[in-house]
């Protein structure tokens, strides 16, 4: 029993170390092709395979500077607070049937959503501790955006929980049927879009608009601490895509061999959604703050409530 727990934790740690880096590498390559960027295609010669390594070396060489008036402990802890919640969420995401999950919680859905929300505290800590009023304003923007998009995200997830009759992520996949795709489609779109907004991914990156706000609450960070914030963004993409896969796309269920290839179907769906995240970044301009709030309150909240009502009607009818 102890050996099984240790093996599962080791696999989760390995996935947490590798998958975000793969998404980061894919983003370099996809953006290079879509936008005709030559730079990321040169490092390491063949197709720029060493670009991610070059970025890592660059961050490692940069000086680790802490502002003189900063709250030093909070300043140093903020990157860890931003990235660790995503590791905890990976513990409850099933990748296949028959116990292929590190921790099968009965309240897995709300555990995942609650812990994901903790990640925003890292941005607020970074903004407050930097002794920089512009960083503080960036942190407040992050908090405001989280508050707006958390509500439709929870409503969309609640619709799936109502349909499955369980809050367990494993239980949701076991109850999932192919006809849920059109039935829960609106909720799936709302969940995915709200998750992107929580991660501050383009086009929802106004709080950290790097060309205007100099990366918002992370203005005073450099070197490996700044790299941890970037890594937390890619880890958040992996977690969001995994949750969307489990809740709305059937998780490990595929066209054939669910039991044998379930983990493969899960990974394929996760990377397909990760490609959509990158595609959105390349294709759409950044939204203004008023547009961000209008999308959340005028569109996503009503749509998620409508999905919740539809699910209730269907459950009663069945």
């Amino acid at each position: 029993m102890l050996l099984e727990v240790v093996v599962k934790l080791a696999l989760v740690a390995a996935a947490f170390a590798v998958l975000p880096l793969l998404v980061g590498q894919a983003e370099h390559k996809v953006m290079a092709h879509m936008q005709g960027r030559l730079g990321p295609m040169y490092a390491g010669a063949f197709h720029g395979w060493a670009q991610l390594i070059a970025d890592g070396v660059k961050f490692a060489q940069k000086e680790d500077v802490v502002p003189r008036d900063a709250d030093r402990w909070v300043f140093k802890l903020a990157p860890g607070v931003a990235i660790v919640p995503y590791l905890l969420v990976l513990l409850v995401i099933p990748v296949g049937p028959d116990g292929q999950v590190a921790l099968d919680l009965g309240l897995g859905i709300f555990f995942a959503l609650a812990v994901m929300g903790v990640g925003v505290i890292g941005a607020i800590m970074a903004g407050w501790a930097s002794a920089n009023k512009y960083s503080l304003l960036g942190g407040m923007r992050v908090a405001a955006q989280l508050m707006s998009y958390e509500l439709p995200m929870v409503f969309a997830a609640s619709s799936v929980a109502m349909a499955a009759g369980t809050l367990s992520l494993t239980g949701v996949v076991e109850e999932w049927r192919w006809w849920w795709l059109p039935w829960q489609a609106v909720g799936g779109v709302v969940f995915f879009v709200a998750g992107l907004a929580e991660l501050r991914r383009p086009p929802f990156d106004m709080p950290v608009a790097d060309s205007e706000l100099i990366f918002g609450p992370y203005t005073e960070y450099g070197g490996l601490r700044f790299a941890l914030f970037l890594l937390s963004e890619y880890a958040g993409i992996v977690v969001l895509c995994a949750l969307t896969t489990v809740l709305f796309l059937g998780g490990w269920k595929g066209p054939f061999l669910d039991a044998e290839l379930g983990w493969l179907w899960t990974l394929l769906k996760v990377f397909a959604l990760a490609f959509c995240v990158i595609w959105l970044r390349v294709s759409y301009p950044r939204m203004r703050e008023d547009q961000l709030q209008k999308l959340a309150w005028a569109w996503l909240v009503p749509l998620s409530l409508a999905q919740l009502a539809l699910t209730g009607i269907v459950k009663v009818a069945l």
Side-chain angles (χ1 to χ4, degrees):
M1 186 65 178
L2 179 59
L3 178 61
E4 181 183 356
V5 172
V6 171
V7 170
K8 286 184 176 181
L9 292 178
L11 290 174
V12 170
F16 186 73
V18 173
L19 293 181
L21 296 180
L22 291 179
V23 173
Q25 180 75 348
E27 182 166 69
H28 279 104
K29 303 308 163 190
V30 172
M31 291 179 66
H33 283 292
M34 286 186 170
Q35 296 183 330
R37 295 185 177 190
L38 298 179
M41 306 304 289
Y42 276 86
F46 177 72
H47 211 263
W49 65 270
Q51 180 62 49
L52 206 63
I53 299 175
D55 288 341
V57 173
K58 176 188 70 175
F59 284 124
Q61 289 178 334
K62 289 191 173 183
E63 185 179 1
D64 181 18
V65 177
V66 179
R68 181 189 61 190
D69 297 328
D71 189 322
R72 299 183 68 87
W73 281 106
V74 178
F75 185 89
K76 292 179 179 180
L77 284 174
V81 175
I83 195 171
V84 168
Y86 298 118
L87 173 60
L88 297 179
V89 175
L90 282 182
L91 292 173
V92 300
I93 296 178
V95 296
D98 303 323
Q100 294 183 41
V101 57
L103 183 62
D104 188 8
L105 289 180
L107 296 174
I109 293 178
F110 287 146
F111 173 84
L113 295 178
V115 174
M116 279 184 68
V118 173
V120 73
I121 297 178
I124 297 174
M125 290 171 61
W128 181 83
S130 294
N132 181 319
K133 61 183 178 182
Y134 298 107
S135 298
L136 180 60
L137 288 173
M140 294 301 100
R141 283 177 177 237
V142 171
Q145 190 159 311
L146 173 78
M147 292 174 63
S148 298
Y149 284 90
E150 185 76 12
L151 192 60
M153 195 174 185
V154 171
F155 283 159
S158 300
S159 173
V160 177
M162 182 188 299
T166 178
L167 293 174
S168 166
L169 291 170
T170 301
V172 168
V173 180
E174 290 173 346
E175 294 294 326
W176 188 88
R177 299 294 182 268
W178 69 266
W179 52 273
W180 285 25
L181 286 173
W183 176 30
Q184 298 291 330
V186 172
V189 172
V190 169
F191 184 88
F192 191 66
V193 171
L196 288 179
E198 283 203 5
L199 295 176
R200 284 89 68 192
R201 286 287 301 182
F204 307 103
D205 60 334
M206 178 56 72
V208 292
D210 47 358
S211 58
E212 296 87 6
L213 304 179
I214 321 176
F215 231 69
Y218 316 130
T219 303
E220 302 293 347
Y221 283 85
L224 290 177
R225 298 188 199 279
F226 183 76
L228 283 176
F229 281 116
L230 292 181
L231 185 61
S232 70
E233 179 179 320
Y234 290 123
I237 293 173
V238 172
V239 168
L240 172 63
C241 294
L243 283 175
T244 306
T245 294
V246 169
L247 293 175
F248 298 97
L249 300 180
W252 64 75
K253 293 184 177 180
F256 53 85
L257 297 178
D258 294 348
E260 294 80 4
L261 298 178
W263 60 272
L264 180 59
W265 300 129
T266 300
L267 287 179
L268 287 175
K269 295 173 185 178
V270 168
F271 280 108
L273 289 173
F275 173 81
C276 293
V277 173
I278 300 169
W279 173 72
L280 287 171
R281 172 177 182 171
V282 174
S283 303
Y284 289 92
R286 179 180 301 123
M287 301 177 71
R288 299 192 312 266
E289 191 66 29
D290 61 311
Q291 293 173 327
L292 280 169
Q293 298 299 328
K294 183 177 181 180
L295 176 65
W297 295 105
W299 290 98
L300 296 190
V301 170
L303 285 174
S304 60
L305 287 172
Q307 177 68 76
L308 202 59
L310 175 63
T311 301
I313 294 171
V314 172
K315 289 292 288 183
V316 170
L318 293 178

